[in-house]
Amino acid sequence: MDFSFLNQPAFSGGGVYLDWVISGLKWTLLVSILGWIIAFSVGSLLGILRTAPVAWLRVPATIYVELFRNVPLLVQMFIWYFVVPEIVPKAVGDWLKTQMPMPEFSNAVLCLGFYTASRVAEQVRSGIQSMPRGQTSAALAMGLTLPQTYRHVLLPMAYRIVIPPMTTEFLTIFKNSSVALTIGVLELTAQARQISEYTFRTFEIFTVATIIYALITLTVTFSMRWLENKTRVPGYVGGSSK
Amino acid sequence: MIEMKNVSKWYGKFQVLKNCTTRVDKGEVVVVCGPSGSGKSTLIKTVNALEPFQEGEITVEGISVGAPGTDLPKLRSRIGMVFQNFELFPHMKVVDNINLAQIKVLGRSKEEASAKSMSLLKRVGLDGHAQKHPGQLSGGQQQRVAIARGLAMDPIAMLFDEPTSALDPEMINEVLDVMTELAHEGMTMMVVTHEMGFASRVAHRVVFMDAGEIVEDAKKEDFFGKPRSERAQHFLSKILHH
């Protein structure tokens, strides 16, 4: 394998092909991390709502989750980019099509964020529901309100319990971010494809891309493991509070 | 202090509480006993509205538990409750478990709450364990912390729902000792328990339940000396024979 092409002047843009790779990495990280911020906050809210004692909070959250996690991500990407601007009121649609800054990027972030939110919601819900019911009873019995019970009793443990599956979702969003290339975001995979077309170094450039993805995901895995150890509860062995 | 009048509760078509009427006066210790599934735990949980009921009325110091306008968090904060599985919050240190509701519900300062918690921990013989997490304590120690947590709210009454049923035999006495001491100090207590020794030593009155009904509600001497109902006689003969 010969990686010297990375140092050759690129077809356009004035730099070398390595600059394309770095630019691709930048967009991959931006799409993924901004998408994760949406996914984690919206997903947490939805997950909490799915455990609410009243149906009018629970049902909309359930509908959201079932809708977003059952439509393929690729289809959702097209819907956000091509369909949403046509079905919202005309003024909004026109703004989306002509005024929105970096429309491909913004749509990719929104799509990935709201899709992953449905998966995060399920993790949060399962974390809350894995808590023994007596924990809620004990918190309410001492006079805490239900929101206080979530804030101080249920969520701190629920989030700890779901760190491992949450790591998987966090990893998946980096890998899913490559779907953004279908609507024209020049993230890592798109750049690799482009470089392959200009240099015919297909094998090498995808090797580079693979290594970069692996480095990102390994970093995430180890950070989450660090977080898991950092938040470990002394003496807690999981399951019920026996 | 606590008055129940004709309380009935159904799970769907199944009636778990049938016309239950009893009372706990100030400074009185009432033991609720009966075979498993007789509704004892459900009954005691209706007192602080952890279990809703469909018919009848319960008042705590004149305040109706079932009335729609009742400030339940406030009412509950005045009644301590101890559960079968302790239900300490695993992610909080022992002292923070006792502090939580003092700070969040009663509005005490952290210093004030901690001082109170430490004095209560001393009282239950666990002041050396304040900085540990619940998972690092034995079952008996956890239950004593749970009692301290209930007392920290300066309750007008304490409810105990099978406080020793999840304990290894050698730990039962340390918990019963704390409860006995509490009773001698004049605490109003309602105790669901199978510990007939405790009942005969400490209780003022015994309520015997079977199949959702209060079959016998008598002074301790009368209950153990000459139970009127056949069901209570049968229960006692089974439980006292060993």
Side-chain angles (χ1 to χ4, degrees), chain B:
Chain B
M1 165 108 35
I2 299 170
E3 253 180 285
M4 306 182 131
K5 270 188 218 137
N6 304 319
V7 173
S8 289
K9 176 184 172 70
W10 288 263
Y11 285 122
K13 280 196 174 150
F14 180 68
Q15 191 168 4
V16 275
L17 295 179
K18 296 173 188 163
N19 246 343
C20 296
T21 301
T22 187
R23 55 185 294 133
V24 184
D25 290 326
K26 189 166 166 35
E28 198 178 25
V29 177
V30 174
V31 161
V32 183
C33 62
S36 328
S38 58
K40 315 178 290 286
S41 285
T42 310
L43 184 79
I44 200 173
K45 284 178 180 160
T46 58
V47 173
N48 60 356
L50 285 181
E51 289 281 0
F53 51 94
Q54 283 84 27
E55 279 177 15
E57 196 186 24
I58 300 176
T59 57
V60 176
E61 284 205 320
I63 300 164
S64 168
V65 174
T70 303
D71 183 349
L72 281 182
K74 187 170 177 200
L75 180 93
R76 285 166 173 157
S77 72
R78 302 176 66 207
I79 308 170
M81 185 153 194
V82 173
F83 296 82
Q84 182 174 356
N85 289 313
F86 331 134
E87 304 303 351
L88 297 178
F89 307 134
H91 59 291
M92 292 179 191
K93 286 176 186 166
V94 163
V95 63
D96 293 326
N97 262 279
I98 310 176
N99 283 350
L100 180 68
Q102 295 187 65
I103 295 169
K104 298 295 169 190
V105 179
L106 300 183
R108 289 180 185 155
S109 72
K110 177 120 195 269
E111 295 70 36
E112 210 181 337
S114 296
K116 176 96 183 169
S117 303
M118 289 310 296
S119 79
L120 284 165
L121 278 174
K122 194 162 192 169
R123 185 165 153 195
V124 298
L126 292 170
D127 41 334
H129 299 275
Q131 300 303 317
K132 288 187 182 168
H133 282 77
Q136 296 168 303
L137 303 184
S138 72
Q141 291 171 327
Q142 290 192 51
Q143 196 61 301
R144 284 187 279 156
V145 172
I147 295 173
R149 184 172 71 173
L151 293 175
M153 304 296 281
D154 296 322
I156 54 170
M158 288 284 287
L159 308 175
F160 293 84
D161 183 11
E162 304 207 24
T164 57
S165 298
L167 294 175
D168 293 332
E170 74 271 23
M171 295 171 182
I172 289 175
N173 280 336
E174 60 186 79
V175 172
L176 291 181
D177 287 347
V178 171
M179 290 170 62
T180 305
E181 202 184 302
L182 208 55
H184 289 330
E185 286 165 17
M187 175 60 78
T188 308
M189 291 162 67
M190 188 170 180
V191 184
V192 173
T193 186
H194 295 292
E195 296 295 333
M196 288 301 121
F198 173 80
S200 63
R201 267 181 288 118
V202 181
H204 299 112
R205 268 183 30 245
V206 176
V207 170
F208 173 73
M209 288 186 78
D210 190 23
E213 277 176 276
I214 293 183
V215 179
E216 198 139 340
D217 182 346
K219 280 192 173 154
K220 169 181 70 182
E221 297 76 17
D222 296 342
F223 181 77
F224 286 109
K226 41 179 191 333
R228 280 168 298 143
S229 68
E230 209 172 297
R231 282 189 277 184
Q233 288 167 7
H234 185 63
F235 176 75
L236 280 176
S237 73
K238 277 204 291 190
I239 216 163
L240 293 178
H241 263 195
H242 57 79

